[in-house]
Amino acid sequence: NPRGIAMNKDQVKGAVKEVAGKVQQKTGKLLGSAEQQAKGLAKKVQGKAQKKVGDAKEALKGARSKL
């Protein structure tokens, strides 16, 4: 990582899913498709949740390394 920030698998997958959900939601809005907007919102929420799981794993890893 060029910025020196390490991300675990859940953080990366969550971030990607969140962005994909935002894109799908905006596309649905542009096309007037409430279904696509809802699917995009759901994907975005799933991505945020997965990223939080990854954040928690990193926090635990950091706490264990301090012991």
Side-chain angles (χ1 to χ4, degrees), residues 8-52:
N8 66 34
K9 181 174 64 173
D10 285 312
Q11 289 171 315
V12 173
K13 285 184 176 181
V16 169
K17 195 178 284 187
E18 187 177 350
V19 170
K22 285 180 185 179
V23 170
Q24 186 175 10
Q25 190 178 16
K26 297 246 185 222
T27 302
K29 188 173 183 175
L30 286 172
L31 297 176
S33 172
E35 181 183 358
Q36 287 304 313
Q37 283 181 283
K39 286 180 178 180
L41 179 60
K43 189 180 287 187
K44 186 169 77 170
V45 169
Q46 288 173 345
K48 283 185 178 188
Q50 187 170 9
K51 189 172 176 296
K52 292 285 183 196

